[in-house]
Amino acid sequence: MRLARRAIDAACVAMFVVVFAVFLYKIVMRYAVGDAVAWGDELTVVLFIWIVFIANAFLVPDERQICFDLIDRTCRPADGARPRSSGCC
């Protein structure tokens, strides 16, 4: 588990480095060369969204995750007890 967490941390760091490098590349291309880079915006947004998803998966405990419990609530027993087999938090 520790190796997997280190690998994921390294992947997030690499994604941040790529976001920063593309951001700097966009600035240089816009002001020094005079040509705006369209793909840079898309790449930075997609990488940032993935960084947020990965960080949420590993930093927020399962009890604090947002879940949709519409089916869970409708299938609950009459006494209101939550079934143990529920996949929802």
Side-chain angles (χ1 to χ4, degrees), residues 5-76:
R5 188 168 295 261
R6 282 187 147 187
I8 292 169
D9 287 343
C12 286
V13 168
M15 285 191 281
F16 264 123
V17 167
V18 170
V19 167
F20 186 69
V22 170
F23 180 72
L24 289 178
Y25 179 72
K26 284 176 20 179
I27 291 173
V28 168
M29 289 300 289
R30 177 172 289 157
Y31 293 111
V33 180
D35 185 28
V37 180
W39 57 265
D41 290 333
E42 296 172 13
L43 181 65
T44 55
V45 167
V46 168
L47 285 177
F48 191 73
I49 289 171
W50 274 105
I51 291 168
V52 169
F53 284 160
I54 292 170
N56 181 41
F58 285 96
L59 295 178
V60 178
D62 286 340
E63 299 84 31
R64 302 285 311 234
Q65 295 283 347
I66 296 173
C67 66
F68 298 99
D69 61 348
L70 180 65
I71 296 172
D72 189 40
R73 281 189 285 154
T74 56
C75 297
R76 225 174 248 182

